[in-house]
Amino acid sequence: MIVGIGVDLVDVPRFEEHLERTPRLLPRLFSASERVLKPRSLAARYAAKEALIKALGGSDGVHWTDIEVTSEASGRPGFSLSGETAATVAARGITALHLSMSHDAGLATAYVIAEARAGAESSASRIPPLREDRA
């Protein structure tokens, strides 16, 4: 069951300017293995982390450096979670995270879908379903 969806869009040149002006952002936002990537890839990973936070319904219990964007052998992106973030995701009953990222024309985007087992409590599951009025 889908319990959260998040999307984020990042202006790559603007993101790169922020990193140049504030070098301490790099270790605050990215793991050591992510920090060696090109700015457009970092921007996509930043978008992925923002999209994950949105899919989770907020940043309580989520820490940037506990989230690492990784790739499967096929190139498919995914998340490697650790620390309090991994515990928070597990406590919310989330059993799968799906990630898609792209960058082109100076923009980077990411889309995340969070799934949980049926009956798991989440902000999405507390939203009442739409009802048809039958007059």
Side-chain angles (χ1 to χ4, degrees), residues 1-52:
M1 166 174 72
I2 294 174
V3 295
I5 298 172
V7 64
D8 197 61
L9 182 68
V10 175
D11 181 301
V12 176
R14 185 172 176 215
F15 180 79
E16 193 170 358
E17 288 172 14
H18 283 293
L19 290 178
E20 288 173 10
R21 274 197 322 253
T22 315
R24 68 181 182 274
L25 283 178
L26 211 57
R28 287 177 51 196
L29 299 175
F30 300 104
S31 70
S33 61
E34 290 174 316
R35 288 181 224 147
V36 300
L37 299 171
K38 295 178 181 182
R40 68 177 183 266
S41 293
L42 288 174
R45 279 161 174 74
Y46 178 81
K49 294 177 185 199
E50 281 282 350
L52 174 61

Side-chain angles (χ1 to χ4, degrees), residues 2-134:
I2 294 174
V3 295
I5 298 172
V7 64
D8 197 61
L9 182 68
V10 175
D11 181 301
V12 176
R14 185 172 176 215
F15 180 79
E16 193 170 358
E17 288 172 14
H18 283 293
L19 290 178
E20 288 173 10
R21 274 197 322 253
T22 315
R24 68 181 182 274
L25 283 178
L26 211 57
R28 287 177 51 196
L29 299 175
F30 300 104
S31 70
S33 61
E34 290 174 316
R35 288 181 224 147
V36 300
L37 299 171
K38 295 178 181 182
R40 68 177 183 266
S41 293
L42 288 174
R45 279 161 174 74
Y46 178 81
K49 294 177 185 199
E50 281 282 350
L52 174 61
I53 290 168
K54 291 172 183 175
L56 295 175
S59 61
D60 290 346
V62 178
H63 303 283
W64 288 93
T65 55
D66 287 352
I67 306 167
E68 183 175 354
V69 177
T70 58
S71 295
E72 295 178 0
S74 66
R76 179 182 176 182
F79 292 107
S80 176
L81 305 178
S82 61
E84 189 177 351
T85 301
T88 297
V89 168
R92 293 180 186 179
I94 294 171
T95 56
L97 294 169
H98 305 278
L99 169 62
S100 181
M101 302 184 308
S102 185
H103 49 75
D104 190 27
L107 297 172
T109 190
Y111 190 86
V112 173
I113 297 174
E115 285 188 88
R117 63 189 172 280
E121 185 64 26
S122 77
S123 59
S125 64
R126 289 189 299 260
I127 298 170
L130 294 175
R131 297 186 340 211
E132 279 186 46
D133 287 340
R134 299 185 191 261

